[in-house]
Amino acid sequence: MRVELLTVGDELLLGDTVNGNAAWLGRRLADHGVDVTRSVVVGDELDVIVEAVRAALGRADAVITTGGLGPTYDDLTRDALARAAGVGLVRDAGLERRLRERVARAGRELRPMALRMADVPEGARILRNSAGSAPGLRVELPGGIVYALPGVPFEMRTITDEVVLPELKEIAGLPAVARRTLRTARMWESVVASRLAEVEAMDGVRLAYLPDPAEVKVRITVAGPDAAGRLADVEARVRELLGDAVYGAEDESLDRVVHRLLAERSATVATAESLTGGLIGAELTAMPGSSATFAGGLVTYATDAKRSMLGVPADLLEEHGAVHPDVAAAMAAGARDALGATYGLAVTGVAGPEPQDGREVGTVYVGVAGPGKSPIVAAPRLPVPGAGPETRTVIRRMTVVHALELLRRVLVGLPEPDPDDPAREDREDPG
Amino acid sequence: MRVELLTVGDELLLGDTVNGNAAWLGRRLADHGVDVTRSVVVGDELDVIVEAVRAALGRADAVITTGGLGPTYDDLTRDALARAAGVGLVRDAGLERRLRERVARAGRELRPMALRMADVPEGARILRNSAGSAPGLRVELPGGIVYALPGVPFEMRTITDEVVLPELKEIAGLPAVARRTLRTARMWESVVASRLAEVEAMDGVRLAYLPDPAEVKVRITVAGPDAAGRLADVEARVRELLGDAVYGAEDESLDRVVHRLLAERSATVATAESLTGGLIGAELTAMPGSSATFAGGLVTYATDAKRSMLGVPADLLEEHGAVHPDVAAAMAAGARDALGATYGLAVTGVAGPEPQDGREVGTVYVGVAGPGKSPIVAAPRLPVPGAGPETRTVIRRMTVVHALELLRRVLVGLPEPDPDDPAREDREDPG
């Protein structure tokens, strides 16, 4: 079963929109054992769309198009499919009625242009869109099936899950692959890969490394008979080889793990942020219901606020500047106390692009203050990704991960590696 | 001059990576008057890449490929270009020397596989990569030119700007189009579009609307002789029609505008955040040097922290709950006073997915407390984008924009519309 994607829209070629629809579809289909073999973007030109549909069906069994189903005159997917099928467009009475009702409910007048959304190629099946107004279409052509979906992500996803995926899975049969994604933090991609060399050499096993700032996701794919059964064994071996760098699986992100661990301990955390400016707090409130375990935070971006809001000793700041392990420790304790939380989590460092207080860009200290113990401080050495404007963004993001990961390690009682150990694997050059 | 993009990599088809490279290249080339006419993604298969390069050159004058230039055996772009050109691969002595030096500097051994990065198709020109180890390649084929760039975004961008763009611009000649992007906040896309109907009808003028949560960017494209001169007139008319909703142009984001306005007034701002959990602080520290105008912030996510950290009156919280205009006002004043800033900026609201304190999802109050005046509160009605997990993300993002925009309006002295006026255009259904 070979599926190609065809995305229609000038805005994608011009780079105004990133093709997130293609990525989502690729992932969704792969998760269900259907492989996307090519993905093409073309502009809003009738001839080009017709040619692209035909070429895709010359290679694949099915084509999923997104975009070009709206009401404006540069929405041409309907016309292109009709032409590719050698049929005309007909107005669907049911679609027209629903459009008129929708507009009437909003108290507005129907623009004649909008009726285009009720036109379908003769013989096409209408795919109901429970999430919006533009329906999807299913057209059978000599070379295969075309599913035409709207470009609005939410609507595209809804129709895919409700209609397209069930149909494709039925055609493709049971998938012969099983997949699992494990999530690691603070370990270089090259270290992860070298540890997993023996797994990579196993028959029928494929590993993919998906790096994010300070995180690497490892996707294990096992193919062949009893794929699901073998996957369990392979996963166990991968976990063994990666040890405590694995913090979760699938969609279990680091903030979710931290919330779970805190809840299990009836504990809360308060944050004190310098270079991240609020990103850690934002991450810890991304999940609904997070107020049960997140007590609040302080953004002490300016040095003086570290003193006045968090009680960091003035002489410490004077002697060492704001970027120092002891400052991270004092900030963590200060946040814990100011917000009456069980734990305090703090970061201070240099996001760049310029050095600060004599410290290089990428110097970061993370502090965790627990109940009644002296704070633990980590000093990750962050790889500085070039000197461009993204440097700051990436360093801030890496700092968020290192902060949440240190808190996780403290919560589950993992030891912190000696910051001066030259053999520390999290310090290796990423190459 | 027609250019096609060819992105190589299984990870893109599987949706592990979003094709940000294609979006960046499309935008960059368009900004310099070079149009991308198609964009194709294929997997790591030699024959498929060769065929895709040939097909692209059958339609376009030049092809830019990204990806497949790394050291591993599934990096096949070099081989594919050699085969498409009917030549062999030769090892480049200069590239090999640089690779060996780089590895030696890191104190590691050269893996034999890595030497693949020193192989180039016979006759290809090497495009120096000042940002990393994989060089770009330029190969002339019968149908046109191929620029092969590495997939690492930072490296790809560097070679594009240093080598590819200057060459393409010289081939393409002076662009016959001029472009300008204006940025608006708090106005629906449909309202922006209807206000600009007369501009849309102008000869040789094209408008594109690029919506983000609570923001719409309007890109004006003027084609034809004296495009640059006409653009100035068109821009002036667009600004007139959109009024004070326009806050900036090109890359001048809302946080930058706010920092500039604060600096001009020698003023600072402090934040108090509820539902956004730190996102406003993160936005206000995204820019280097922001500590001059950002005093710091408080994340008072839990209701009690609003009282203890910001001095919001307990009876107010008891009577109305945390989501109330008076709470937003008290939070803003509290943040201003706690951090000794000129202005306090606060938000409180319901991000969902569940209602809170009897308030619907999307209910948000933004408060700005200025020096010596009573706080100003805005009550935007945010459109709730469905009931999916993205709802929370989008509402938080919209809240950040509404907060920064209210501060901007206060700083430049714009009046706040009556919250109860049913004719408010920012309340129209987005359709």
Side-chain angles (χ1 to χ4, degrees):
Chain A
M1 178 79 185
R2 297 165 66 89
V3 175
E4 292 200 7
L5 307 182
L6 177 64
T7 311
V8 180
D10 285 346
E11 71 280 11
L12 284 125
L13 292 177
L14 285 166
D16 294 328
T17 306
V18 179
N19 202 349
N21 279 351
W24 186 89
L25 279 166
R27 186 68 198 272
R28 198 67 157 190
L29 268 60
D31 281 347
H32 289 86
V34 178
D35 280 348
V36 169
T37 49
R38 185 178 301 227
S39 170
V40 174
V41 181
V42 295
D44 300 309
E45 280 182 78
L46 188 60
D47 295 345
V48 174
I49 305 171
V50 173
E51 176 273 319
V53 167
R54 286 186 176 146
L57 284 181
R59 293 177 297 252
D61 308 301
V63 175
I64 302 175
T65 74
T66 58
L69 292 181
T72 65
Y73 292 111
D74 57 1
D75 286 309
L76 294 168
T77 301
R78 279 176 299 260
D79 307 74
L81 291 180
R83 188 178 297 186
V87 300
L89 287 172
V90 288
R91 183 147 297 172
D92 184 85
L95 286 178
E96 179 175 348
R97 198 183 56 239
R98 273 200 291 277
L99 266 175
R100 290 190 183 279
E101 284 168 3
R102 201 179 140 89
V103 170
R105 261 201 314 276
R108 291 192 294 172
E109 271 179 51
L110 188 77
R111 291 166 301 164
M113 199 166 66
L115 279 175
R116 286 171 53 82
M117 289 201 287
D119 290 344
V120 300
E122 231 174 312
R125 205 179 89 211
I126 292 164
L127 311 178
R128 242 204 105 198
N129 180 353
S130 64
S133 50
L137 298 170
R138 181 186 187 277
V139 181
E140 280 195 42
L141 293 180
I145 306 165
V146 180
Y147 294 95
L149 307 181
V152 178
F154 182 64
E155 302 181 13
M156 181 279 293
R157 295 179 188 192
T158 304
I159 303 178
T160 299
D161 283 347
E162 290 180 359
V163 182
V164 180
L165 254 181
E167 283 197 24
L168 287 180
K169 279 165 72 176
E170 198 174 308
I171 300 168
L174 274 182
V177 299
R179 286 199 172 84
R180 178 88 171 152
T181 301
L182 297 182
R183 304 171 72 117
T184 73
R186 295 208 316 195
M187 194 181 265
W188 296 119
E189 181 181 359
S190 56
V191 177
V192 174
S194 71
R195 288 216 189 165
L196 297 182
E198 64 159 89
V199 177
E200 196 130 25
M202 287 177 187
D203 228 34
V205 175
R206 234 179 71 185
L207 299 179
Y209 306 104
L210 320 173
D212 269 320
E215 294 193 66
V216 178
K217 297 184 196 96
V218 181
R219 195 184 51 229
I220 312 164
T221 306
V222 177
D226 191 29
R230 278 194 71 203
L231 178 63
D233 296 338
V234 176
E235 179 187 344
R237 185 68 187 136
V238 169
R239 282 182 181 270
E240 214 171 343
L241 293 166
L242 296 180
D244 58 35
V246 177
Y247 68 78
E250 303 299 335
D251 291 331
E252 200 187 12
S253 52
L254 204 38
D255 60 302
R256 283 175 186 269
V257 174
V258 163
H259 280 301
R260 177 173 51 74
L261 293 171
L262 287 166
E264 286 168 4
R265 288 155 182 76
S266 303
T268 58
V269 63
T271 54
E273 306 188 48
S274 168
L275 74 159
T276 46
L279 288 174
I280 300 175
E283 193 79 5
L284 284 172
T285 54
M287 206 177 88
S290 45
S291 61
T293 40
F294 176 63
L298 292 124
V299 182
T300 54
Y301 196 66
T303 298
D304 191 55
K306 294 183 181 64
R307 189 190 51 72
S308 65
M309 305 290 293
L310 292 167
V312 179
D315 54 351
L316 181 62
L317 292 167
E318 210 152 289
E319 192 177 339
H320 297 294
V323 182
H324 190 272
D326 295 349
V327 174
M331 285 171 69
R336 179 197 57 195
D337 298 344
L339 283 143
T342 325
Y343 290 88
L345 173 61
V347 294
T348 182
V350 187
E354 298 299 323
Q356 186 198 326
D357 293 357
R359 309 274 173 175
E360 275 175 43
V361 176
T363 310
V364 165
Y365 299 104
V366 183
V368 170
K373 275 195 263 177
S374 58
I376 288 170
V377 175
R381 201 168 70 188
L382 307 184
V384 178
E390 284 135 288
T391 301
R392 196 174 160 83
T393 308
V394 175
I395 287 181
R396 277 157 47 106
R397 178 65 209 160
M398 289 192 288
T399 303
V400 172
V401 173
H402 277 272
L404 295 178
E405 173 66 359
L406 182 66
L407 179 55
R408 178 184 80 90
R409 295 179 71 89
V410 169
L411 287 169
V412 297
L414 289 170
E416 197 48 21
D418 176 0
D420 297 321
D421 178 0
R424 272 175 64 181
E425 282 183 317
D426 65 339
R427 286 201 159 183
E428 187 181 315
D429 186 314
Chain B
M1 179 79 185
R2 295 164 68 89
V3 175
E4 291 199 10
L5 307 182
L6 177 63
T7 311
V8 179
D10 286 345
E11 71 279 12
L12 285 123
L13 292 178
L14 284 168
D16 293 327
T17 307
V18 179
N19 202 350
N21 279 350
W24 186 89
L25 279 165
R27 184 68 198 271
R28 198 66 154 194
L29 268 61
D31 281 346
H32 290 86
V34 178
D35 280 348
V36 168
T37 48
R38 184 179 304 224
S39 171
V40 175
V41 181
V42 295
D44 300 310
E45 278 184 78
L46 188 59
D47 295 344
V48 173
I49 306 171
V50 173
E51 176 271 319
V53 167
R54 286 187 177 142
L57 284 180
R59 295 178 294 251
D61 308 301
V63 175
I64 301 176
T65 73
T66 59
L69 292 181
T72 65
Y73 293 111
D74 58 0
D75 286 309
L76 294 168
T77 302
R78 280 176 299 260
D79 306 74
L81 292 180
R83 187 180 293 189
V87 299
L89 287 172
V90 290
R91 182 147 298 172
D92 184 84
L95 286 179
E96 180 176 346
R97 200 184 54 241
R98 273 201 290 278
L99 265 176
R100 290 189 183 279
E101 285 170 3
R102 201 179 141 86
V103 171
R105 261 202 314 275
R108 291 193 295 172
E109 272 179 52
L110 188 77
R111 290 167 300 166
M113 199 166 68
L115 279 174
R116 287 171 53 84
M117 288 199 290
D119 291 342
V120 300
E122 232 175 313
R125 205 177 91 209
I126 292 164
L127 311 179
R128 242 204 104 196
N129 179 352
S130 65
S133 51
L137 298 169
R138 180 186 187 278
V139 181
E140 282 195 38
L141 292 180
I145 306 166
V146 180
Y147 294 94
L149 308 181
V152 179
F154 181 64
E155 304 182 10
M156 181 279 293
R157 295 180 189 193
T158 304
I159 304 178
T160 299
D161 282 347
E162 291 180 359
V163 182
V164 180
L165 254 182
E167 283 195 27
L168 287 180
K169 280 166 70 177
E170 198 174 309
I171 300 168
L174 275 183
V177 298
R179 287 198 171 86
R180 178 91 171 150
T181 301
L182 298 182
R183 303 170 73 115
T184 72
R186 295 207 315 194
M187 193 181 265
W188 296 119
E189 182 181 357
S190 57
V191 176
V192 173
S194 71
R195 287 218 191 164
L196 297 182
E198 65 158 270
V199 177
E200 197 130 25
M202 289 179 187
D203 226 33
V205 175
R206 234 180 69 184
L207 300 180
Y209 306 103
L210 319 172
D212 269 320
E215 295 193 65
V216 178
K217 299 184 194 94
V218 181
R219 195 182 54 228
I220 312 164
T221 305
V222 178
D226 190 28
R230 275 195 73 201
L231 178 62
D233 297 338
V234 176
E235 180 187 343
R237 185 67 186 137
V238 169
R239 281 182 180 272
E240 216 171 341
L241 293 167
L242 296 181
D244 58 37
V246 177
Y247 69 78
E250 304 300 336
D251 290 332
E252 202 185 12
S253 51
L254 203 40
D255 60 303
R256 286 176 184 268
V257 173
V258 164
H259 280 301
R260 176 172 53 71
L261 294 171
L262 287 166
E264 286 168 6
R265 287 155 183 76
S266 304
T268 58
V269 65
T271 54
E273 307 188 46
S274 168
L275 75 160
T276 48
L279 288 173
I280 301 175
E283 192 81 4
L284 284 171
T285 55
M287 204 177 91
S290 46
S291 61
T293 37
F294 176 63
L298 292 123
V299 181
T300 53
Y301 196 66
T303 298
D304 189 56
K306 295 183 179 65
R307 188 191 49 72
S308 65
M309 306 291 293
L310 293 167
V312 179
D315 54 350
L316 181 60
L317 292 167
E318 210 152 293
E319 191 176 341
H320 297 294
V323 181
H324 191 270
D326 294 350
V327 174
M331 286 172 68
R336 177 195 62 196
D337 298 343
L339 282 143
T342 326
Y343 290 89
L345 173 62
V347 295
T348 184
V350 186
E354 297 300 321
Q356 188 199 324
D357 293 356
R359 309 276 175 172
E360 275 174 45
V361 176
T363 310
V364 165
Y365 299 103
V366 182
V368 169
K373 274 194 265 179
S374 58
I376 288 170
V377 175
R381 201 168 68 186
L382 307 184
V384 178
E390 285 135 286
T391 301
R392 195 172 160 86
T393 308
V394 174
I395 286 180
R396 278 156 48 104
R397 178 65 210 158
M398 289 192 289
T399 303
V400 172
V401 173
H402 277 272
L404 296 177
E405 173 66 359
L406 182 66
L407 178 56
R408 178 185 81 89
R409 297 180 71 91
V410 169
L411 286 168
V412 300
L414 288 169
E416 197 48 22
D418 176 358
D420 298 319
D421 179 359
R424 274 174 65 183
E425 281 185 317
D426 64 342
R427 286 202 161 184
E428 186 181 316
D429 186 315

